[in-house]
Amino acid sequence: MQTDEVLISLAVALGIGLLIGLEREQSTPLDHDEASNFLGGARTYPLFALTGALSALVGQYWSVWVIALAFGALFGLLAIAYVDAVWTKRDRGITSAAAFIVTFFLGVLCVSSGPAEVVEHRLIIAAAVGGAVTILLSIKPAVHSWIHTVSKEDVYATLKFLLVAVIVLPLLPNQTYGPLGVLNPFEIGLMVVLITGIGFIGYVAIRLLGPGRAMGLIGFVGGLVSSTAVTLSSASQARRQTGLHDLCAMAVTLASTIMAVRVAVEVAIVYPPLLRSLAFPLATMALAGLGWAGFFYWHGQDPGTARAAAIPLANPVELFTAVKFGLLFAVVLLGAKAATIYLGDKG
């Protein structure tokens, strides 16, 4: 590294430590007894970051064991402080100790060429992680308040959606099978994920925004991705929670309306002259859809807001229902391909 790069890297490491240290010092209770648990703040954290950066810098010329020794020495100080707190029966968490460790390694990252060869990229990564750590440390009251509102139902819904989207979907082969070579397991699984995902996002949005705004958002955004998935998810939700009938109808109508706008944009990009023929029917569809969506929203608010708020929200991630929709999607694909092959375009 050039001299200017070394100085800039050390300055960034110092700045990251100062940022985290300021947050830790600001969060220290004013009460003297609680403040006795204070590990360090605006001076200690920058020193940890600088120690990490200097040890990594020296380790490039001597040995990587320099970093290990520096970390071991600082970790020993943290361990002594923690043991002393336990011995004197003081209440001390491990958040600040963990922040010290992260700060040390962020300092190491600032001068280590392994994660990113370009200095600017490396410093951006370190600064981004340092900022994220500071935000995470500063939102403790909000996080604790939010945790008390989360139910087991929320956790189960999240885990089931992650099971489908993160574990099962990537394992599905992305190639065609079947007698007509049209069934793609990955595409069918993607439809299942879209349905469960829209249901899950709608569930979270209702908890955060309320039924009216949440279903409007689902209809608008979901229509940009798949109006079919919005329709299936909303219909399933309306079946489980009758108080949301009108708002679910609004979401379906709005998604179909957005589909008309999406088609117009796609036609304008691919073949603009065709848009002149489609302008009137698509505009009619869009205006009619917006009108009916407004009607369903207004009707759903009559006693809808109070009624829907009183309804206990059910788990939105119904895997069996989503799989049935996926199988139906596969049957439609197979039937459409067979009709095209054996009956021609009219089929």
Side-chain angles (χ1 to χ4, degrees):
M1 297 177 64
Q2 301 295 327
T3 302
D4 58 340
E5 293 179 343
V6 172
L7 293 176
I8 293 173
S9 299
L10 292 176
V12 171
L14 201 62
I16 292 173
L18 181 61
L19 182 66
I20 298 176
L22 285 172
E23 190 286 325
R24 289 286 80 195
E25 191 155 327
Q26 286 291 329
S27 64
T28 304
L30 297 178
D31 182 82
H32 181 269
D33 294 333
E34 294 185 30
S36 63
N37 291 333
F38 181 58
L39 279 177
R43 293 181 298 172
T44 313
Y45 279 88
L47 290 175
F48 262 68
L50 198 57
T51 302
L54 290 174
S55 65
L57 189 62
V58 174
Q60 293 178 6
Y61 299 98
W62 286 3
S63 171
V64 71
W65 285 103
V66 174
I67 301 176
L69 290 174
F71 176 73
L74 295 179
F75 185 80
L77 295 175
L78 293 176
I80 291 172
Y82 191 82
V83 170
D84 177 67
V86 173
W87 185 263
T88 55
K89 297 182 179 180
R90 286 179 292 167
D91 183 19
R92 170 171 289 167
I94 63 172
T95 302
S96 292
F100 271 120
I101 295 173
V102 173
T103 303
F104 174 86
F105 282 107
L106 285 174
V108 173
L109 176 62
C110 286
V111 297
S112 300
S113 59
E117 294 295 335
V118 181
V119 176
E120 290 81 359
H121 296 172
R122 186 165 64 244
L123 296 181
I124 289 174
I125 294 173
V129 175
V133 170
T134 306
I135 293 173
L136 184 61
L137 292 172
S138 65
I139 61 174
K140 175 183 175 180
V143 170
H144 284 191
S145 176
W146 173 73
I147 286 176
H148 291 304
T149 66
V150 176
S151 65
K152 289 184 178 180
E153 192 81 3
D154 301 330
V155 176
Y156 293 150
T158 304
L159 292 177
K160 289 167 74 173
F161 175 68
L162 291 176
L163 173 67
V164 176
V166 179
I167 299 177
V168 176
L169 182 62
L171 296 177
L172 296 177
N174 191 7
Q175 62 185 55
T176 56
Y177 295 92
L180 301 177
V182 71
L183 299 180
N184 187 313
F186 182 82
E187 292 180 356
I188 296 172
L190 187 60
M191 176 59 68
V192 174
V193 170
L194 280 175
I195 296 168
T196 56
I198 289 176
F200 175 71
I201 294 172
Y203 175 75
V204 174
I206 288 175
R207 293 288 301 269
L208 296 176
L209 304 176
R213 287 182 293 176
M215 297 309 294
L217 180 64
I218 289 299
F220 180 81
V221 178
L224 297 174
V225 180
S226 172
S227 57
T228 303
V230 174
T231 301
L232 295 175
S233 177
S234 299
S236 178
Q237 188 173 36
R239 183 187 62 192
R240 295 193 307 270
Q241 296 157 279
T242 56
L244 296 179
H245 273 182
D246 292 322
L247 295 178
C248 288
M250 177 197 67
V252 174
T253 306
L254 193 56
S256 301
T257 302
I258 297 301
M259 181 189 65
V261 178
R262 189 182 67 191
V263 168
V265 173
E266 292 169 351
V267 171
I269 294 173
V270 176
Y271 186 59
L274 183 59
L275 187 60
R276 288 195 294 268
S277 301
L278 293 174
F280 179 74
L282 288 178
T284 303
M285 291 171 60
L287 292 175
L290 288 174
W292 279 106
F295 169 79
F296 285 127
Y297 179 79
W298 174 79
H299 193 263
Q301 298 302 308
D302 186 8
T305 301
R307 183 179 63 214
I311 298 173
L313 294 176
N315 191 328
V317 185
E318 294 186 354
L319 296 183
F320 181 68
T321 302
V323 169
K324 286 194 300 183
F325 287 143
L327 294 176
L328 177 62
F329 179 65
V331 171
V332 171
L333 289 178
L334 189 62
K337 185 67 174 182
T340 302
I341 293 176
Y342 298 113
L343 303 176
D345 294 337
K346 292 182 179 181

